[in-house]
Amino acid sequence: DSGVTQTPKHLITATGQRVTLRCSPRSGDLSVYWYQQSLDQGLQFLIQYYNGEERAKGNILERFSAQQFPDLHSELNLSSLELGDSALYFCASSVAGVGPSSGNTIYFGEGSWLTVV
Amino acid sequence: AQKITQTQPGMFVQEKEAVTLDCTYDTSDQSYGLFWYKQPSSGEMIFLIYQGSYDEQNATEGRYSLNFQKARKSANLVISASQLGDSAMYFCAMREFSSNTGKLIFGQGTTLQVKP
C-alpha cells in the first residue's frame, strides 16, 4: 500500500459527460501529480500541484482541470469526454525535497480506470 | 531533450534466476533522479528503487538493485532470485531537478515474464 488513495477505482461513462477523480496523497506529502496512461501514449504527465498551487503543467487538455484543496487532497475534472479519454489515471504524491540525494520518492496510487462509451 | 529508452519490450526469465532490465536516459541536467516502477496486470504502479545522480553507491532494495553507470547514462534494474510474482511491466523514469518540479518522464516499459 503506497498510502496514496484514489477514487473511484473504475468508472464507465458516456461521451460528452463530466467526471471527477479524487486523490488523497500520502500523509505529509505536499505535492500531488496526475498522470494518464493509455495504450497509444504510454504514461503522460498531466499536472502537478504543490501545497495548493499549480507547479507544473504537462500534456493536459483544456477540457481537463485539476485543483488541490487546503487539506491537500486533489481532484481531476474531465469534461466533454471523448472515447479517446479512456485510460488509467494515476495520482502520485511526494514530499517537498531538494536535490537528487534527498530521496524525493514519488509514490503512485492504484489508479482510476476510466472507460468512455 | 529529456528521454528514457527501454529497448526490451519483453523479457523471459526462469524462476530463481537473476534478470537485468535495461534503461538508458538522456538529459543535460547534472542533477536528476532515476526511478523504477513495477506495474502488475492489476494496474497499480509500485515504486521499487531510486537512484540520485550524485549517489556514489548503486541503490539496492531487497532483491532489486540499480546498476547505475553515469558516463554511459544507463540505469539498469537487476532483479535477483526471480519469483513468479515478479511477472509484470517495469517502467524506468527520470526526474530532472533543475525544473523544480516533480515531473517524471517514463520509458515505454518492459514486460517481464517469470517461468516456473
Side-chain angles (χ1 to χ4, degrees), chain A residues 2 33 35 37 41-43 45 48 55-56 58 88 90 94-95 97-111 113, chain B residues 30-33 35 37 39 41-47 50-55 91 95 97 100-108:
Chain A
S2 68
Y33 316 85
Y35 286 82
Q37 185 179 29
Q41 297 287 331
L43 274 153
F45 169 74
Q48 176 194 358
R55 174 63 68 89
L88 180 56
F90 283 109
S94 70
V95 299
V98 291
S101 295
S102 64
N104 284 301
T105 301
I106 299 173
Y107 291 95
F108 282 71
E110 294 188 351
W113 290 91
Chain B
Q30 297 301 309
S31 179
Y32 52 89
F35 300 75
Y37 290 89
Q39 186 176 36
S41 58
S42 51
E44 69 264 37
M45 194 71 71
I46 302 167
F47 167 76
Y50 169 85
Q51 178 86 39
S53 59
Y54 295 129
D55 293 339
F91 289 95
R95 173 183 178 180
F97 286 92
N100 199 28
T101 75
K103 174 184 173 182
L104 289 175
I105 302 297
F106 283 87
Q108 289 302 304

CSV table of all heavy atoms in Angstrom, one decimal, chain A residues 2 33 35 37 41-43 45 48 55-56 58 88 90 94-95 97-111 113, chain B residues 30-33 35 37 39 41-47 50-55 91 95 97 100-108:
chain,number,residue,atom,x,y,z
A,2,SER,N,0.7,2.1,-1.1
A,2,SER,CA,1.6,3.3,-1.2
A,2,SER,C,1.2,4.4,-0.3
A,2,SER,O,2.0,5.3,0.0
A,2,SER,CB,1.6,3.8,-2.6
A,2,SER,OG,0.3,4.3,-2.9
A,33,TYR,N,0.6,14.8,-8.1
A,33,TYR,CA,0.7,14.8,-9.6
A,33,TYR,C,-0.4,14.0,-10.2
A,33,TYR,O,-0.9,13.0,-9.5
A,33,TYR,CB,2.1,14.1,-9.9
A,33,TYR,CG,3.2,14.5,-9.1
A,33,TYR,CD1,3.5,14.0,-7.9
A,33,TYR,CD2,4.1,15.5,-9.6
A,33,TYR,CE1,4.6,14.3,-7.1
A,33,TYR,CE2,5.2,15.9,-8.9
A,33,TYR,CZ,5.5,15.3,-7.6
A,33,TYR,OH,6.5,15.7,-6.9
A,35,TYR,N,-1.2,11.7,-13.7
A,35,TYR,CA,-0.7,11.1,-14.9
A,35,TYR,C,-1.8,10.3,-15.6
A,35,TYR,O,-2.7,9.8,-15.0
A,35,TYR,CB,0.4,10.1,-14.6
A,35,TYR,CG,1.7,10.7,-14.2
A,35,TYR,CD1,2.0,11.2,-12.9
A,35,TYR,CD2,2.8,10.9,-15.1
A,35,TYR,CE1,3.2,11.7,-12.6
A,35,TYR,CE2,4.0,11.5,-14.8
A,35,TYR,CZ,4.1,11.9,-13.5
A,35,TYR,OH,5.3,12.5,-13.1
A,37,GLN,N,-2.4,7.1,-18.4
A,37,GLN,CA,-1.7,6.0,-19.0
A,37,GLN,C,-2.7,5.4,-20.1
A,37,GLN,O,-3.7,4.9,-19.7
A,37,GLN,CB,-1.3,4.9,-18.1
A,37,GLN,CG,-0.5,3.8,-18.7
A,37,GLN,CD,-0.1,2.7,-17.8
A,37,GLN,OE1,-0.7,2.5,-16.7
A,37,GLN,NE2,1.1,2.1,-18.1
A,41,GLN,N,-0.3,6.3,-25.9
A,41,GLN,CA,0.5,7.4,-25.5
A,41,GLN,C,1.5,7.0,-24.3
A,41,GLN,O,2.3,7.8,-24.0
A,41,GLN,CB,-0.4,8.6,-25.0
A,41,GLN,CG,-1.2,9.2,-26.1
A,41,GLN,CD,-0.4,10.0,-27.1
A,41,GLN,OE1,0.7,10.5,-26.7
A,41,GLN,NE2,-0.8,10.0,-28.3
A,42,GLY,N,1.3,5.8,-23.8
A,42,GLY,CA,2.1,5.5,-22.6
A,42,GLY,C,1.7,6.3,-21.4
A,42,GLY,O,0.6,6.8,-21.3
A,43,LEU,N,2.7,6.6,-20.5
A,43,LEU,CA,2.4,7.3,-19.3
A,43,LEU,C,2.8,8.8,-19.6
A,43,LEU,O,3.9,9.1,-19.9
A,43,LEU,CB,3.3,6.8,-18.2
A,43,LEU,CG,2.7,5.7,-17.4
A,43,LEU,CD1,3.8,4.8,-16.8
A,43,LEU,CD2,1.8,6.2,-16.3
A,45,PHE,N,2.6,12.8,-18.2
A,45,PHE,CA,2.4,13.7,-17.1
A,45,PHE,C,1.3,14.8,-17.4
A,45,PHE,O,1.4,15.4,-18.5
A,45,PHE,CB,3.7,14.4,-16.8
A,45,PHE,CG,3.6,15.6,-15.8
A,45,PHE,CD1,3.4,15.4,-14.5
A,45,PHE,CD2,3.7,16.9,-16.3
A,45,PHE,CE1,3.3,16.5,-13.6
A,45,PHE,CE2,3.7,18.0,-15.4
A,45,PHE,CZ,3.5,17.8,-14.1
A,48,GLN,N,0.9,19.1,-11.9
A,48,GLN,CA,1.4,19.0,-10.6
A,48,GLN,C,0.9,20.1,-9.7
A,48,GLN,O,1.0,21.3,-10.2
A,48,GLN,CB,3.0,18.9,-10.5
A,48,GLN,CG,3.5,18.9,-9.1
A,48,GLN,CD,5.0,19.2,-9.1
A,48,GLN,OE1,5.7,19.5,-10.1
A,48,GLN,NE2,5.6,19.2,-7.9
A,55,ARG,N,2.1,23.8,-9.9
A,55,ARG,CA,3.6,23.9,-10.0
A,55,ARG,C,4.1,23.6,-11.4
A,55,ARG,O,5.0,24.2,-11.9
A,55,ARG,CB,4.2,22.9,-9.1
A,55,ARG,CG,5.7,22.8,-9.2
A,55,ARG,CD,6.5,24.0,-8.8
A,55,ARG,NE,6.4,24.4,-7.5
A,55,ARG,CZ,7.2,24.0,-6.5
A,55,ARG,NH1,8.2,23.2,-6.8
A,55,ARG,NH2,7.1,24.5,-5.3
A,56,ALA,N,3.4,22.7,-12.1
A,56,ALA,CA,3.9,22.4,-13.5
A,56,ALA,C,2.7,21.8,-14.2
A,56,ALA,O,1.8,21.2,-13.7
A,56,ALA,CB,5.0,21.3,-13.4
A,58,GLY,N,1.7,19.7,-17.8
A,58,GLY,CA,2.2,18.8,-18.9
A,58,GLY,C,1.2,18.8,-20.1
A,58,GLY,O,0.6,19.8,-20.4
A,88,LEU,N,-6.1,4.9,-17.9
A,88,LEU,CA,-5.9,4.7,-16.5
A,88,LEU,C,-5.3,6.0,-16.0
A,88,LEU,O,-4.2,6.5,-16.5
A,88,LEU,CB,-4.9,3.5,-16.2
A,88,LEU,CG,-4.6,3.2,-14.8
A,88,LEU,CD1,-5.8,2.9,-13.9
A,88,LEU,CD2,-3.6,2.0,-14.8
A,90,PHE,N,-3.6,8.1,-13.0
A,90,PHE,CA,-2.9,7.9,-11.7
A,90,PHE,C,-2.7,9.3,-11.0
A,90,PHE,O,-2.4,10.3,-11.7
A,90,PHE,CB,-1.5,7.4,-12.0
A,90,PHE,CG,-1.4,5.9,-12.3
A,90,PHE,CD1,-1.1,5.5,-13.6
A,90,PHE,CD2,-1.6,5.0,-11.3
A,90,PHE,CE1,-1.0,4.1,-13.8
A,90,PHE,CE2,-1.5,3.6,-11.6
A,90,PHE,CZ,-1.2,3.2,-12.8
A,94,SER,N,4.5,13.3,-3.4
A,94,SER,CA,5.8,13.2,-2.8
A,94,SER,C,6.0,14.4,-1.8
A,94,SER,O,5.2,15.3,-1.8
A,94,SER,CB,6.9,13.4,-3.9
A,94,SER,OG,6.9,14.7,-4.5
A,95,VAL,N,7.0,14.3,-0.9
A,95,VAL,CA,7.3,15.4,-0.1
A,95,VAL,C,8.0,16.4,-0.9
A,95,VAL,O,8.5,16.1,-2.0
A,95,VAL,CB,8.2,14.9,1.1
A,95,VAL,CG1,7.4,13.9,2.0
A,95,VAL,CG2,9.5,14.3,0.6
A,97,GLY,N,11.2,17.9,-1.5
A,97,GLY,CA,12.6,17.8,-1.2
A,97,GLY,C,13.5,18.5,-2.2
A,97,GLY,O,13.0,19.0,-3.2
A,98,VAL,N,14.7,18.7,-1.8
A,98,VAL,CA,15.6,19.4,-2.8
A,98,VAL,C,16.8,18.5,-3.1
A,98,VAL,O,17.3,17.9,-2.2
A,98,VAL,CB,16.1,20.8,-2.2
A,98,VAL,CG1,14.9,21.7,-2.1
A,98,VAL,CG2,16.7,20.6,-0.8
A,99,GLY,N,17.2,18.5,-4.3
A,99,GLY,CA,18.4,17.8,-4.7
A,99,GLY,C,18.1,16.3,-4.9
A,99,GLY,O,17.2,15.8,-4.4
A,100,PRO,N,19.0,15.7,-5.7
A,100,PRO,CA,18.8,14.3,-6.1
A,100,PRO,C,19.1,13.3,-5.0
A,100,PRO,O,18.7,12.2,-5.2
A,100,PRO,CB,19.7,14.2,-7.3
A,100,PRO,CG,20.8,15.1,-7.0
A,100,PRO,CD,20.2,16.3,-6.3
A,101,SER,N,19.7,13.7,-4.0
A,101,SER,CA,20.1,12.7,-3.0
A,101,SER,C,19.1,12.7,-1.8
A,101,SER,O,19.4,12.0,-0.9
A,101,SER,CB,21.5,13.0,-2.5
A,101,SER,OG,22.4,12.8,-3.5
A,102,SER,N,18.1,13.5,-1.9
A,102,SER,CA,17.2,13.5,-0.7
A,102,SER,C,16.1,12.5,-0.9
A,102,SER,O,15.1,12.5,-0.1
A,102,SER,CB,16.6,14.9,-0.6
A,102,SER,OG,15.8,15.2,-1.7
A,103,GLY,N,16.2,11.7,-1.8
A,103,GLY,CA,15.1,10.6,-2.0
A,103,GLY,C,14.1,11.1,-3.0
A,103,GLY,O,14.0,10.6,-4.1
A,104,ASN,N,13.2,12.0,-2.5
A,104,ASN,CA,12.2,12.5,-3.3
A,104,ASN,C,11.4,11.4,-4.0
A,104,ASN,O,11.0,11.6,-5.2
A,104,ASN,CB,12.8,13.5,-4.4
A,104,ASN,CG,13.1,14.8,-3.8
A,104,ASN,OD1,12.3,15.5,-3.3
A,104,ASN,ND2,14.4,15.1,-3.8
A,105,THR,N,11.2,10.3,-3.3
A,105,THR,CA,10.5,9.2,-3.9
A,105,THR,C,9.0,9.7,-4.2
A,105,THR,O,8.4,10.4,-3.4
A,105,THR,CB,10.4,8.0,-3.0
A,105,THR,OG1,11.8,7.7,-2.7
A,105,THR,CG2,9.7,6.9,-3.6
A,106,ILE,N,8.6,9.3,-5.4
A,106,ILE,CA,7.2,9.6,-5.8
A,106,ILE,C,6.4,8.3,-5.8
A,106,ILE,O,6.7,7.4,-6.5
A,106,ILE,CB,7.2,10.3,-7.2
A,106,ILE,CG1,8.0,11.6,-7.2
A,106,ILE,CG2,5.8,10.5,-7.7
A,106,ILE,CD1,8.3,12.2,-8.5
A,107,TYR,N,5.4,8.3,-5.0
A,107,TYR,CA,4.5,7.2,-4.8
A,107,TYR,C,3.2,7.4,-5.6
A,107,TYR,O,2.6,8.4,-5.5
A,107,TYR,CB,4.2,6.9,-3.3
A,107,TYR,CG,5.4,6.5,-2.6
A,107,TYR,CD1,6.2,7.4,-1.9
A,107,TYR,CD2,5.8,5.1,-2.5
A,107,TYR,CE1,7.3,6.9,-1.2
A,107,TYR,CE2,6.9,4.7,-1.8
A,107,TYR,CZ,7.7,5.6,-1.2
A,107,TYR,OH,8.8,5.2,-0.5
A,108,PHE,N,2.8,6.3,-6.2
A,108,PHE,CA,1.5,6.3,-7.0
A,108,PHE,C,0.4,5.6,-6.3
A,108,PHE,O,0.6,4.7,-5.5
A,108,PHE,CB,1.8,5.6,-8.4
A,108,PHE,CG,2.5,6.5,-9.4
A,108,PHE,CD1,3.9,6.7,-9.2
A,108,PHE,CD2,1.9,7.0,-10.5
A,108,PHE,CE1,4.6,7.5,-10.1
A,108,PHE,CE2,2.6,7.8,-11.4
A,108,PHE,CZ,3.9,8.0,-11.2
A,109,GLY,N,-0.8,6.1,-6.6
A,109,GLY,CA,-2.0,5.4,-6.1
A,109,GLY,C,-2.3,4.2,-7.1
A,109,GLY,O,-1.5,4.0,-8.0
A,110,GLU,N,-3.4,3.6,-6.8
A,110,GLU,CA,-3.7,2.4,-7.6
A,110,GLU,C,-4.4,2.7,-9.0
A,110,GLU,O,-4.6,1.9,-9.8
A,110,GLU,CB,-4.7,1.5,-6.8
A,110,GLU,CG,-4.0,0.9,-5.6
A,110,GLU,CD,-4.9,-0.2,-4.9
A,110,GLU,OE1,-6.0,-0.3,-5.3
A,110,GLU,OE2,-4.3,-0.8,-4.0
A,111,GLY,N,-4.7,4.0,-9.1
A,111,GLY,CA,-5.2,4.4,-10.4
A,111,GLY,C,-6.7,4.4,-10.5
A,111,GLY,O,-7.4,3.6,-9.7
A,113,TRP,N,-9.6,3.7,-13.4
A,113,TRP,CA,-9.8,3.2,-14.7
A,113,TRP,C,-11.0,3.9,-15.3
A,113,TRP,O,-12.1,3.8,-14.7
A,113,TRP,CB,-10.0,1.7,-14.8
A,113,TRP,CG,-8.9,0.9,-14.5
A,113,TRP,CD1,-8.5,0.4,-13.2
A,113,TRP,CD2,-7.9,0.3,-15.4
A,113,TRP,NE1,-7.4,-0.4,-13.3
A,113,TRP,CE2,-7.0,-0.5,-14.6
A,113,TRP,CE3,-7.8,0.4,-16.8
A,113,TRP,CZ2,-5.9,-1.1,-15.2
A,113,TRP,CZ3,-6.7,-0.3,-17.4
A,113,TRP,CH2,-5.8,-1.0,-16.6
B,30,GLN,N,22.7,18.1,-14.6
B,30,GLN,CA,23.6,17.4,-13.7
B,30,GLN,C,23.0,16.8,-12.5
B,30,GLN,O,23.5,15.9,-11.9
B,30,GLN,CB,24.7,18.4,-13.3
B,30,GLN,CG,25.5,19.0,-14.4
B,30,GLN,CD,26.3,17.9,-15.2
B,30,GLN,OE1,26.9,17.1,-14.6
B,30,GLN,NE2,26.1,18.0,-16.5
B,31,SER,N,21.8,17.3,-12.2
B,31,SER,CA,21.1,16.9,-11.0
B,31,SER,C,19.7,16.2,-11.4
B,31,SER,O,18.8,16.9,-11.9
B,31,SER,CB,20.8,18.1,-10.1
B,31,SER,OG,20.1,17.7,-9.0
B,32,TYR,N,19.7,14.9,-11.2
B,32,TYR,CA,18.4,14.2,-11.6
B,32,TYR,C,18.3,12.9,-10.8
B,32,TYR,O,19.2,12.5,-10.1
B,32,TYR,CB,18.5,13.9,-13.1
B,32,TYR,CG,19.8,13.1,-13.6
B,32,TYR,CD1,19.8,11.8,-13.5
B,32,TYR,CD2,20.9,13.9,-14.0
B,32,TYR,CE1,21.0,11.1,-13.9
B,32,TYR,CE2,22.0,13.2,-14.4
B,32,TYR,CZ,22.1,11.8,-14.3
B,32,TYR,OH,23.2,11.2,-14.7
B,33,GLY,N,17.2,12.4,-10.9
B,33,GLY,CA,16.9,11.1,-10.2
B,33,GLY,C,16.3,10.1,-11.1
B,33,GLY,O,15.6,10.4,-12.1
B,35,PHE,N,14.2,6.4,-11.4
B,35,PHE,CA,13.2,5.5,-10.7
B,35,PHE,C,12.9,4.3,-11.5
B,35,PHE,O,12.9,4.3,-12.7
B,35,PHE,CB,11.9,6.3,-10.5
B,35,PHE,CG,12.0,7.6,-9.7
B,35,PHE,CD1,12.5,8.7,-10.3
B,35,PHE,CD2,11.5,7.6,-8.4
B,35,PHE,CE1,12.6,9.9,-9.5
B,35,PHE,CE2,11.5,8.8,-7.7
B,35,PHE,CZ,12.1,10.0,-8.3
B,37,TYR,N,9.6,1.5,-11.5
B,37,TYR,CA,8.3,1.1,-11.0
B,37,TYR,C,7.9,-0.2,-11.6
B,37,TYR,O,8.3,-0.5,-12.8
B,37,TYR,CB,7.3,2.2,-11.4
B,37,TYR,CG,7.5,3.5,-10.6
B,37,TYR,CD1,8.3,4.5,-11.2
B,37,TYR,CD2,6.8,3.7,-9.4
B,37,TYR,CE1,8.4,5.7,-10.5
B,37,TYR,CE2,6.9,4.9,-8.8
B,37,TYR,CZ,7.8,5.9,-9.3
B,37,TYR,OH,7.9,7.1,-8.6
B,39,GLN,N,4.5,-2.5,-12.6
B,39,GLN,CA,3.0,-2.4,-12.8
B,39,GLN,C,2.5,-3.8,-13.1
B,39,GLN,O,2.6,-4.3,-14.2
B,39,GLN,CB,2.7,-1.5,-14.0
B,39,GLN,CG,1.2,-1.3,-14.1
B,39,GLN,CD,0.8,-0.2,-15.2
B,39,GLN,OE1,1.4,-0.1,-16.2
B,39,GLN,NE2,-0.2,0.5,-14.9
B,41,SER,N,-0.5,-6.8,-13.6
B,41,SER,CA,-1.7,-6.7,-14.5
B,41,SER,C,-2.8,-6.1,-13.9
B,41,SER,O,-3.8,-5.6,-14.6
B,41,SER,CB,-2.0,-8.2,-14.9
B,41,SER,OG,-2.3,-9.0,-13.8
B,42,SER,N,-2.9,-6.0,-12.5
B,42,SER,CA,-4.0,-5.3,-11.9
B,42,SER,C,-3.9,-3.8,-12.0
B,42,SER,O,-4.9,-3.1,-11.7
B,42,SER,CB,-3.9,-5.6,-10.4
B,42,SER,OG,-2.6,-5.4,-9.8
B,43,GLY,N,-2.8,-3.3,-12.5
B,43,GLY,CA,-2.7,-1.9,-12.9
B,43,GLY,C,-2.0,-0.9,-12.0
B,43,GLY,O,-1.5,0.1,-12.4
B,44,GLU,N,-1.8,-1.2,-10.7
B,44,GLU,CA,-1.2,-0.2,-9.8
B,44,GLU,C,0.3,0.0,-10.1
B,44,GLU,O,0.9,-0.9,-10.7
B,44,GLU,CB,-1.4,-0.6,-8.3
B,44,GLU,CG,-0.6,-1.9,-7.9
B,44,GLU,CD,-1.4,-3.1,-7.9
B,44,GLU,OE1,-2.2,-3.3,-8.8
B,44,GLU,OE2,-1.2,-4.0,-7.0
B,45,MET,N,0.8,1.1,-9.8
B,45,MET,CA,2.2,1.4,-10.1
B,45,MET,C,3.0,1.4,-8.8
B,45,MET,O,2.7,2.2,-7.9
B,45,MET,CB,2.3,2.8,-10.7
B,45,MET,CG,3.6,3.2,-11.3
B,45,MET,SD,3.9,2.3,-12.8
B,45,MET,CE,2.7,3.1,-13.9
B,46,ILE,N,3.9,0.5,-8.7
B,46,ILE,CA,4.5,0.2,-7.4
B,46,ILE,C,6.0,0.7,-7.5
B,46,ILE,O,6.8,0.3,-8.4
B,46,ILE,CB,4.5,-1.3,-7.1
B,46,ILE,CG1,3.1,-1.8,-7.0
B,46,ILE,CG2,5.3,-1.6,-5.8
B,46,ILE,CD1,3.0,-3.3,-7.0
B,47,PHE,N,6.4,1.6,-6.6
B,47,PHE,CA,7.7,2.1,-6.5
B,47,PHE,C,8.7,1.0,-6.1
B,47,PHE,O,8.4,0.2,-5.1
B,47,PHE,CB,7.9,3.2,-5.6
B,47,PHE,CG,9.3,3.6,-5.2
B,47,PHE,CD1,10.0,4.3,-6.1
B,47,PHE,CD2,9.8,3.2,-4.0
B,47,PHE,CE1,11.4,4.6,-5.8
B,47,PHE,CE2,11.1,3.6,-3.7
B,47,PHE,CZ,11.9,4.3,-4.6
B,50,TYR,N,15.2,3.9,-6.2
B,50,TYR,CA,15.5,5.2,-6.6
B,50,TYR,C,17.1,5.4,-6.6
B,50,TYR,O,17.7,4.9,-5.7
B,50,TYR,CB,14.9,6.2,-5.7
B,50,TYR,CG,15.4,7.7,-5.9
B,50,TYR,CD1,14.8,8.5,-6.8
B,50,TYR,CD2,16.4,8.2,-5.1
B,50,TYR,CE1,15.3,9.8,-7.0
B,50,TYR,CE2,16.9,9.4,-5.3
B,50,TYR,CZ,16.3,10.2,-6.2
B,50,TYR,OH,16.8,11.5,-6.4
B,51,GLN,N,17.6,6.1,-7.6
B,51,GLN,CA,19.0,6.5,-7.6
B,51,GLN,C,19.1,7.9,-8.0
B,51,GLN,O,18.6,8.4,-9.0
B,51,GLN,CB,19.7,5.6,-8.7
B,51,GLN,CG,21.2,5.9,-8.9
B,51,GLN,CD,22.0,5.1,-8.0
B,51,GLN,OE1,21.8,3.9,-7.7
B,51,GLN,NE2,23.1,5.7,-7.5
B,52,GLY,N,19.8,8.7,-7.1
B,52,GLY,CA,20.1,10.1,-7.4
B,52,GLY,C,21.4,10.2,-8.2
B,52,GLY,O,22.3,9.4,-8.1
B,53,SER,N,21.5,11.2,-9.0
B,53,SER,CA,22.7,11.4,-9.9
B,53,SER,C,24.0,11.6,-9.2
B,53,SER,O,25.0,11.3,-9.7
B,53,SER,CB,22.4,12.5,-10.9
B,53,SER,OG,22.2,13.7,-10.2
B,54,TYR,N,23.9,12.0,-7.9
B,54,TYR,CA,25.1,12.3,-7.1
B,54,TYR,C,25.4,11.1,-6.1
B,54,TYR,O,26.4,11.2,-5.4
B,54,TYR,CB,25.0,13.6,-6.4
B,54,TYR,CG,25.0,14.8,-7.3
B,54,TYR,CD1,24.0,15.7,-7.1
B,54,TYR,CD2,25.9,15.0,-8.3
B,54,TYR,CE1,23.9,16.9,-8.0
B,54,TYR,CE2,25.9,16.1,-9.1
B,54,TYR,CZ,24.9,17.0,-8.9
B,54,TYR,OH,24.9,18.1,-9.8
B,55,ASP,N,24.5,10.1,-6.2
B,55,ASP,CA,24.7,9.0,-5.3
B,55,ASP,C,25.9,8.2,-5.8
B,55,ASP,O,25.9,7.7,-6.9
B,55,ASP,CB,23.5,8.1,-5.2
B,55,ASP,CG,22.3,8.8,-4.5
B,55,ASP,OD1,22.6,9.8,-3.8
B,55,ASP,OD2,21.2,8.4,-4.7
B,91,PHE,N,8.7,-0.1,-15.5
B,91,PHE,CA,9.0,1.2,-16.1
B,91,PHE,C,10.2,1.9,-15.4
B,91,PHE,O,10.3,1.9,-14.2
B,91,PHE,CB,7.8,2.1,-15.9
B,91,PHE,CG,6.6,1.7,-16.7
B,91,PHE,CD1,5.6,1.0,-16.2
B,91,PHE,CD2,6.5,2.2,-18.1
B,91,PHE,CE1,4.5,0.6,-17.0
B,91,PHE,CE2,5.4,1.8,-18.8
B,91,PHE,CZ,4.4,1.0,-18.3
B,95,ARG,N,13.6,12.1,-13.3
B,95,ARG,CA,13.1,13.4,-12.8
B,95,ARG,C,14.3,14.4,-12.9
B,95,ARG,O,15.4,14.0,-12.3
B,95,ARG,CB,12.6,13.3,-11.4
B,95,ARG,CG,12.2,14.6,-10.7
B,95,ARG,CD,11.8,14.4,-9.3
B,95,ARG,NE,11.5,15.7,-8.6
B,95,ARG,CZ,11.1,15.8,-7.4
B,95,ARG,NH1,10.9,14.7,-6.7
B,95,ARG,NH2,10.8,17.0,-6.9
B,97,PHE,N,16.0,17.8,-11.6
B,97,PHE,CA,15.7,18.7,-10.5
B,97,PHE,C,15.9,20.1,-10.9
B,97,PHE,O,15.4,21.0,-10.1
B,97,PHE,CB,16.7,18.3,-9.4
B,97,PHE,CG,16.3,17.0,-8.7
B,97,PHE,CD1,16.7,15.8,-9.1
B,97,PHE,CD2,15.3,17.1,-7.6
B,97,PHE,CE1,16.3,14.6,-8.4
B,97,PHE,CE2,14.9,15.9,-7.0
B,97,PHE,CZ,15.4,14.7,-7.4
B,100,ASN,N,12.7,22.1,-11.0
B,100,ASN,CA,12.0,22.4,-9.7
B,100,ASN,C,10.5,21.8,-9.7
B,100,ASN,O,9.7,22.4,-9.1
B,100,ASN,CB,12.0,23.9,-9.4
B,100,ASN,CG,11.7,24.1,-8.0
B,100,ASN,OD1,12.0,23.3,-7.1
B,100,ASN,ND2,11.1,25.3,-7.7
B,101,THR,N,10.3,20.8,-10.5
B,101,THR,CA,9.0,20.1,-10.5
B,101,THR,C,9.3,18.6,-10.2
B,101,THR,O,10.4,18.2,-10.3
B,101,THR,CB,8.3,20.3,-11.8
B,101,THR,OG1,8.9,19.4,-12.8
B,101,THR,CG2,8.3,21.7,-12.3
B,102,GLY,N,8.2,17.9,-9.9
B,102,GLY,CA,8.4,16.5,-9.7
B,102,GLY,C,8.0,15.7,-10.9
B,102,GLY,O,7.9,14.5,-10.8
B,103,LYS,N,7.9,16.3,-12.1
B,103,LYS,CA,7.5,15.6,-13.3
B,103,LYS,C,8.4,14.5,-13.6
B,103,LYS,O,9.7,14.6,-13.6
B,103,LYS,CB,7.5,16.6,-14.4
B,103,LYS,CG,7.2,16.0,-15.8
B,103,LYS,CD,7.4,17.1,-16.9
B,103,LYS,CE,7.3,16.5,-18.3
B,103,LYS,NZ,7.5,17.6,-19.3
B,104,LEU,N,7.8,13.3,-13.8
B,104,LEU,CA,8.6,12.1,-14.2
B,104,LEU,C,8.4,11.9,-15.7
B,104,LEU,O,7.3,12.0,-16.3
B,104,LEU,CB,8.1,10.9,-13.5
B,104,LEU,CG,8.4,10.8,-12.0
B,104,LEU,CD1,7.8,9.6,-11.4
B,104,LEU,CD2,9.9,10.7,-11.8
B,105,ILE,N,9.5,11.6,-16.4
B,105,ILE,CA,9.5,11.1,-17.8
B,105,ILE,C,9.6,9.6,-17.7
B,105,ILE,O,10.6,9.1,-17.2
B,105,ILE,CB,10.6,11.8,-18.6
B,105,ILE,CG1,10.5,13.3,-18.6
B,105,ILE,CG2,10.5,11.3,-20.0
B,105,ILE,CD1,9.2,13.8,-19.1
B,106,PHE,N,8.7,8.9,-18.4
B,106,PHE,CA,8.7,7.4,-18.3
B,106,PHE,C,9.2,6.9,-19.7
B,106,PHE,O,9.0,7.4,-20.7
B,106,PHE,CB,7.3,6.9,-18.1
B,106,PHE,CG,6.9,7.0,-16.7
B,106,PHE,CD1,6.3,8.1,-16.2
B,106,PHE,CD2,7.1,5.9,-15.8
B,106,PHE,CE1,5.9,8.2,-14.9
B,106,PHE,CE2,6.6,6.0,-14.5
B,106,PHE,CZ,6.1,7.2,-14.0
B,107,GLY,N,9.9,5.7,-19.6
B,107,GLY,CA,10.1,4.9,-20.7
B,107,GLY,C,8.9,4.1,-21.1
B,107,GLY,O,7.8,4.2,-20.5
B,108,GLN,N,9.0,3.4,-22.2
B,108,GLN,CA,7.8,2.6,-22.7
B,108,GLN,C,7.6,1.3,-22.0
B,108,GLN,O,6.5,0.7,-22.2
B,108,GLN,CB,8.0,2.3,-24.2
B,108,GLN,CG,8.0,3.5,-25.1
B,108,GLN,CD,6.6,4.3,-25.0
B,108,GLN,OE1,5.6,3.7,-25.1
B,108,GLN,NE2,6.7,5.5,-24.6
